[in-house]
Amino acid sequence: ISLTGYIQIILAQLFVKTLDRGDFETADLSQWRERQCLPDRVSVGSRRPDAFDGSHRARLEVQDGDVEPQTGSERCELVGPSLPHDEERWYRQAIYIPSEADPPDSWQIMSQWYSNYGGSPPLALFNDTGLPMRWSLRHGDSSRLYWRSEKLARDRWHEIVVGVYLS
């Protein structure tokens, strides 16, 4: 795994009201309830690339051997609010793919939505292996494919909006 990228996440119930805005406008990580990442692999800034929405974005990086001590796995993850059951929520994310980005050579989850029952997440955004670079929404154990993106261009932000209903 060797991923260097920038991410800006805006958690919102679209068309109604914002319930939680998990962005980086505080210029720190205070809006996130937990960080599972080596300390020097996540940063918040306002330099290039320009933020997608607002003035700040975060950079999360995972390199081979970056074993995060809390989980014992290679990851760099920000944990947001718990998802309520039996309620629909909409999440909007913008993820920047730098020009030098390479697709992963094994599975890689970019975002995941967990239920309160444990196990694999019922929904996860995967960075698919190989070329062309694509994303897919699948069950966390890859047993079900729900959606696959078109080819992803480099050196730009990509926006994805996902509706989640956990029952």
Side-chain angles (χ1 to χ4, degrees):
I1 298 172
S2 181
L3 171 71
T4 302
Y6 299 88
I7 186 168
Q8 182 171 8
I9 302 174
I10 298 143
L11 304 176
Q13 175 130 10
L14 302 177
F15 313 117
V16 180
K17 66 179 181 177
T18 299
L19 298 176
D20 182 54
R21 189 168 176 92
D23 60 21
F24 304 100
E25 292 306 297
T26 56
D28 58 27
L29 300 172
S30 63
Q31 294 183 62
W32 297 90
R33 107 180 126 90
E34 189 177 333
R35 179 182 72 200
Q36 298 173 355
C37 192
L38 294 179
D40 61 339
R41 298 290 193 225
V42 62
S43 61
V44 177
S46 57
R47 291 174 295 163
R48 305 246 355 123
D50 294 335
F52 178 79
D53 184 19
S55 60
H56 289 79
R57 50 89 189 130
R59 176 185 169 113
L60 288 85
E61 181 177 353
V62 179
Q63 294 188 9
D64 285 331
D66 280 357
V67 176
E68 188 274 321
Q70 185 175 345
T71 63
S73 62
E74 290 186 3
R75 69 172 63 205
C76 188
E77 183 173 310
L78 299 176
V79 179
S82 297
L83 298 178
H85 277 26
D86 297 324
E87 288 186 40
E88 183 178 65
R89 292 283 192 257
W90 287 88
Y91 297 87
R92 175 179 167 229
Q93 298 183 8
I95 300 173
Y96 185 83
I97 300 177
S99 58
E100 67 277 1
D102 288 322
D105 24 356
S106 65
W107 64 271
Q108 186 176 76
I109 294 178
M110 305 289 287
S111 295
Q112 51 193 341
W113 294 268
Y114 274 97
S115 71
N116 292 329
Y117 301 115
S120 295
L123 185 64
L125 176 64
F126 281 79
N127 192 7
D128 292 345
T129 59
L131 291 172
M133 289 182 72
R134 296 181 192 275
W135 293 335
S136 60
L137 281 171
R138 296 184 261 162
H139 189 276
D141 66 6
S142 293
S143 62
R144 286 182 225 112
L145 172 68
Y146 303 112
W147 170 85
R148 179 164 281 135
S149 74
E150 298 294 321
K151 178 180 174 181
L152 297 168
R154 293 179 177 154
D155 204 26
R156 69 173 285 243
W157 287 98
H158 295 273
E159 181 177 24
I160 183 169
V161 177
V162 178
V164 178
Y165 181 89
L166 298 176
S167 59

Coordinates of all heavy atoms in Angstrom, one line a residue, residues 7-10 14 52 90-95 110-111 113 123-126 135-137 147-149 152 157-163:
I7 N -8.1 14.7 1.2 CA -9.5 14.4 1.3 C -10.2 15.6 2.0 O -9.6 16.2 2.9 CB -9.7 13.1 2.0 CG1 -11.2 12.7 2.0 CG2 -9.2 13.1 3.4 CD1 -11.4 11.3 2.4
Q8 N -11.3 15.9 1.6 CA -12.2 16.8 2.3 C -13.5 16.2 2.4 O -14.1 15.8 1.3 CB -12.2 18.2 1.5 CG -13.0 19.2 2.3 CD -12.9 20.5 1.6 OE1 -12.3 20.7 0.6 NE2 -13.4 21.5 2.3
I9 N -14.0 16.0 3.5 CA -15.3 15.3 3.7 C -16.3 16.3 4.3 O -16.0 16.9 5.3 CB -15.1 14.1 4.6 CG1 -14.1 13.1 4.0 CG2 -16.5 13.4 4.8 CD1 -13.7 12.0 4.9
I10 N -17.5 16.3 3.8 CA -18.5 17.1 4.3 C -19.7 16.2 4.6 O -20.3 15.6 3.7 CB -19.0 18.2 3.3 CG1 -17.8 19.1 3.1 CG2 -20.1 19.0 3.9 CD1 -17.7 19.6 1.7
L14 N -28.4 16.1 3.0 CA -28.6 17.0 1.9 C -30.1 17.3 1.8 O -30.9 16.5 2.1 CB -28.1 16.4 0.6 CG -26.7 16.0 0.6 CD1 -26.3 15.4 -0.7 CD2 -25.8 17.2 0.8
F52 N -11.7 21.9 -1.8 CA -12.8 21.7 -2.6 C -13.9 22.7 -2.3 O -14.6 23.3 -3.1 CB -13.3 20.3 -2.5 CG -14.5 20.0 -3.3 CD1 -14.4 19.8 -4.7 CD2 -15.8 19.9 -2.8 CE1 -15.5 19.5 -5.5 CE2 -16.9 19.7 -3.5 CZ -16.8 19.4 -4.9
W90 N -27.4 11.3 4.2 CA -26.7 11.5 2.9 C -25.4 12.1 3.3 O -25.2 12.9 4.2 CB -27.5 12.5 2.1 CG -28.7 11.8 1.5 CD1 -29.9 11.7 2.0 CD2 -28.7 11.1 0.2 NE1 -30.8 11.0 1.2 CE2 -30.1 10.6 0.1 CE3 -27.8 10.9 -0.8 CZ2 -30.5 9.9 -1.0 CZ3 -28.2 10.1 -1.9 CH2 -29.5 9.7 -2.0
Y91 N -24.3 11.6 2.6 CA -23.0 12.0 2.9 C -22.3 12.5 1.6 O -22.4 11.8 0.5 CB -22.1 10.8 3.4 CG -22.7 10.4 4.8 CD1 -23.7 9.4 4.8 CD2 -22.2 11.0 5.9 CE1 -24.2 9.1 6.1 CE2 -22.7 10.6 7.2 CZ -23.7 9.6 7.2 OH -24.2 9.3 8.4
R92 N -21.7 13.6 1.6 CA -21.0 14.2 0.5 C -19.5 14.2 0.8 O -19.1 14.7 1.8 CB -21.5 15.6 0.2 CG -20.8 16.3 -0.9 CD -21.5 17.7 -1.0 NE -20.6 18.5 -1.9 CZ -20.3 19.8 -1.5 NH1 -20.7 20.3 -0.4 NH2 -19.5 20.5 -2.3
Q93 N -18.7 13.7 -0.1 CA -17.3 13.7 0.0 C -16.6 14.2 -1.2 O -17.1 14.0 -2.3 CB -16.8 12.3 0.3 CG -17.3 11.6 1.5 CD -16.6 10.2 1.7 OE1 -15.7 9.9 1.0 NE2 -17.1 9.5 2.7
A94 N -15.5 14.8 -1.0 CA -14.7 15.3 -2.2 C -13.3 14.7 -1.9 O -12.7 15.0 -0.8 CB -14.7 16.8 -2.3
I95 N -12.8 14.0 -2.8 CA -11.4 13.4 -2.7 C -10.6 13.8 -3.9 O -11.0 13.7 -5.0 CB -11.6 11.8 -2.6 CG1 -12.4 11.4 -1.4 CG2 -10.2 11.2 -2.6 CD1 -12.8 10.0 -1.4
M110 N -11.6 3.6 1.0 CA -11.4 5.1 1.2 C -12.3 5.6 2.3 O -12.0 6.5 3.0 CB -11.7 5.8 -0.2 CG -10.9 5.3 -1.3 SD -9.2 5.8 -1.3 CE -9.4 7.5 -1.6
S111 N -13.5 5.1 2.3 CA -14.5 5.5 3.4 C -15.3 4.2 3.7 O -15.5 3.4 2.8 CB -15.5 6.6 2.8 OG -14.8 7.7 2.6
W113 N -18.9 2.9 6.1 CA -20.1 3.2 7.0 C -20.4 1.9 7.8 O -20.8 1.0 7.2 CB -21.3 3.7 6.1 CG -21.0 5.0 5.5 CD1 -21.3 6.2 6.0 CD2 -20.4 5.2 4.2 NE1 -20.9 7.2 5.1 CE2 -20.3 6.6 4.0 CE3 -19.9 4.4 3.2 CZ2 -19.8 7.2 2.9 CZ3 -19.3 5.0 2.1 CH2 -19.3 6.4 1.9
L123 N -21.3 -0.9 4.0 CA -21.1 -0.1 2.8 C -19.7 0.5 2.9 O -19.3 1.1 4.0 CB -22.1 1.0 2.7 CG -22.1 1.9 1.4 CD1 -22.3 1.0 0.2 CD2 -23.0 3.0 1.5
A124 N -18.9 0.4 1.8 CA -17.6 1.0 1.8 C -17.3 1.5 0.4 O -17.7 0.9 -0.6 CB -16.5 -0.1 2.2
L125 N -16.5 2.6 0.4 CA -16.0 3.1 -0.9 C -14.6 2.6 -1.1 O -13.7 2.9 -0.3 CB -16.0 4.7 -0.8 CG -15.5 5.4 -2.1 CD1 -16.3 5.1 -3.3 CD2 -15.4 6.9 -1.8
F126 N -14.4 1.8 -2.1 CA -13.2 1.2 -2.4 C -12.4 1.9 -3.5 O -13.1 2.4 -4.5 CB -13.4 -0.3 -3.0 CG -13.6 -1.3 -1.9 CD1 -14.9 -1.4 -1.3 CD2 -12.6 -2.1 -1.4 CE1 -15.2 -2.3 -0.3 CE2 -12.9 -3.1 -0.5 CZ -14.2 -3.2 0.1
W135 N -13.4 3.9 -8.6 CA -14.0 3.7 -7.3 C -15.2 2.7 -7.4 O -15.8 2.7 -8.4 CB -14.4 4.9 -6.6 CG -13.3 5.9 -6.2 CD1 -12.0 5.6 -6.0 CD2 -13.5 7.3 -6.0 NE1 -11.3 6.7 -5.7 CE2 -12.2 7.8 -5.7 CE3 -14.5 8.2 -6.1 CZ2 -12.0 9.1 -5.5 CZ3 -14.3 9.5 -5.8 CH2 -13.0 10.0 -5.5
S136 N -15.5 2.1 -6.3 CA -16.7 1.3 -6.3 C -17.3 1.3 -4.9 O -16.6 1.4 -3.9 CB -16.4 -0.2 -6.7 OG -15.5 -0.8 -5.9
L137 N -18.6 1.2 -4.8 CA -19.3 1.1 -3.5 C -19.7 -0.4 -3.4 O -20.4 -0.9 -4.3 CB -20.6 2.0 -3.5 CG -20.4 3.4 -3.2 CD1 -21.7 4.2 -3.5 CD2 -19.9 3.7 -1.8
W147 N -22.1 -0.1 -7.0 CA -21.9 1.0 -8.0 C -20.4 1.0 -8.3 O -19.6 0.7 -7.4 CB -22.3 2.3 -7.4 CG -21.9 3.5 -8.1 CD1 -22.5 4.1 -9.2 CD2 -20.7 4.3 -7.9 NE1 -21.8 5.2 -9.6 CE2 -20.7 5.4 -8.9 CE3 -19.7 4.3 -7.0 CZ2 -19.7 6.3 -8.9 CZ3 -18.7 5.2 -7.0 CH2 -18.8 6.3 -8.0
R148 N -20.0 1.3 -9.6 CA -18.6 1.5 -10.0 C -18.6 2.8 -10.7 O -19.4 3.1 -11.6 CB -18.2 0.3 -10.8 CG -16.7 0.6 -11.3 CD -16.0 -0.7 -11.8 NE -15.6 -1.5 -10.6 CZ -15.8 -2.8 -10.5 NH1 -16.4 -3.5 -11.5 NH2 -15.4 -3.4 -9.4
S149 N -17.5 3.6 -10.5 CA -17.4 4.9 -11.1 C -16.8 4.7 -12.5 O -16.3 3.7 -12.9 CB -16.4 5.8 -10.3 OG -15.1 5.3 -10.5
L152 N -11.3 7.7 -13.3 CA -11.1 8.9 -12.5 C -9.9 9.6 -13.1 O -8.8 9.0 -13.2 CB -10.8 8.5 -11.1 CG -12.0 7.8 -10.4 CD1 -11.6 7.2 -9.1 CD2 -13.1 8.8 -10.2
W157 N -10.3 17.2 -8.0 CA -11.2 16.8 -7.0 C -12.3 15.9 -7.6 O -12.8 16.3 -8.7 CB -11.9 17.9 -6.2 CG -10.9 18.7 -5.3 CD1 -10.3 19.8 -5.5 CD2 -10.6 18.3 -4.0 NE1 -9.5 20.2 -4.5 CE2 -9.8 19.3 -3.5 CE3 -11.0 17.3 -3.1 CZ2 -9.3 19.2 -2.2 CZ3 -10.5 17.2 -1.8 CH2 -9.6 18.2 -1.4
H158 N -12.8 14.9 -6.9 CA -13.9 14.1 -7.4 C -14.9 14.1 -6.2 O -14.6 13.8 -5.1 CB -13.5 12.7 -7.7 CG -12.5 12.6 -8.8 ND1 -13.0 12.5 -10.1 CD2 -11.2 12.6 -8.9 CE1 -11.9 12.4 -10.9 NE2 -10.8 12.5 -10.2
E159 N -16.1 14.4 -6.6 CA -17.2 14.5 -5.6 C -18.1 13.2 -5.7 O -18.4 12.8 -6.7 CB -18.0 15.7 -5.8 CG -19.1 15.9 -4.8 CD -19.9 17.2 -5.1 OE1 -19.9 17.7 -6.2 OE2 -20.5 17.7 -4.2
I160 N -18.5 12.7 -4.5 CA -19.4 11.6 -4.5 C -20.4 11.9 -3.4 O -20.1 12.4 -2.3 CB -18.6 10.2 -4.2 CG1 -19.6 9.1 -4.3 CG2 -17.8 10.3 -3.0 CD1 -19.0 7.7 -4.3
V161 N -21.7 11.6 -3.7 CA -22.7 11.7 -2.7 C -23.3 10.3 -2.5 O -23.7 9.6 -3.5 CB -23.8 12.7 -3.2 CG1 -25.0 12.8 -2.2 CG2 -23.2 14.1 -3.4
V162 N -23.5 9.9 -1.2 CA -23.9 8.6 -0.9 C -25.1 8.6 0.1 O -25.0 9.3 1.1 CB -22.8 7.7 -0.3 CG1 -23.3 6.3 0.1 CG2 -21.6 7.6 -1.2
G163 N -26.2 8.0 -0.2 CA -27.3 7.8 0.7 C -27.1 6.5 1.5 O -26.9 5.5 0.9

